[in-house]
Amino acid sequence: METGRKVKSVKRLICSILAVMVLAVGMIGCSGTDTVTKETDERAYRRGKSLLREGRNEEALQAFLSVVSTRADAGESHLEAGLIYLNHIKDPLAAIYHFRGYLAASPEGEYADFVKELILTAQKDFAKTLPGNPFGETVERVNLMETVKTLQAENQGLKEQILQFQRDMTEQESEILRYREALNQQQQAGGEGRQVAPIVIAPAQPQDSTADSTPTTYTVQAGDTLSRISSRVYGESGRWMDIFQANRDQLPSPNALKPGQVLRIP
């Protein structure tokens, strides 16, 4: 009997220990979910951004690299590191590595298209450093293709302007026909001996296709991104890169916006 009681006591003790362990695991899991830190809230990331504003690029690079080494989703840090390697250290291969790291972490990210263009720029910079410039023709061909794309876009714009002019001409011709019909009706109603006041046809005022209500500057507000600013001033988010390129002297990266900063709007 004594042995049976001891066995039951041991079983109850084991059950109690297992219940406590299950509860502890559940609490750890819940607390872990709530304490996940965003990349941009990492102390090292924020320190890197502060160092960038001070112009201490190499120290900023080390801060961003420390984030990359501890997080698999460090897309923003990859981008910042790539820009430093490309624009300041002049190491295009390292820049390409980090730009690809951004795309791996954020394939549909806000700056994905911009980063792809940065990779092409870094590839051309690297090709120029090789002895004998073996990819010279390739680089020139890429530059030529970019020029062709620009000309195609300009050509499309001219076609749209021509279509608008044709529509305006058609409207003017219709207006003239209406005036002529009204003149004929007046002449018929007035008879041969009556003087009919001539109808003066006012020339149609041409539409100013170059009028542009886009502001020339924009003051950054809290929570702004280049895409949001592009939407506000152009009505579309896709022109954020134009704004970035026009303000490279004060924007080391697309994420370097500060409230109160005045940007040029091209």
Side-chain angles (χ1 to χ4, degrees), residues 85-136:
Y85 274 119
L86 181 64
N87 297 324
H88 301 287
I89 299 180
K90 307 300 181 183
D91 186 342
L93 288 181
I96 291 171
Y97 168 79
H98 286 288
F99 291 148
R100 288 177 174 169
Y102 172 87
L103 293 176
S106 305
E108 303 296 332
E110 181 179 6
Y111 303 115
D113 292 338
F114 174 59
V115 170
K116 291 174 184 177
E117 293 192 10
L118 287 176
I119 290 176
L120 292 176
T121 299
Q123 288 173 339
K124 288 189 290 186
D125 289 349
F126 173 69
K128 293 176 183 178
T129 65
L130 297 177
N133 196 15
F135 299 105

Side-chain angles (χ1 to χ4, degrees), residues 2 181 224-225:
E2 185 65 25
E181 292 175 358
D224 271 344
T225 65

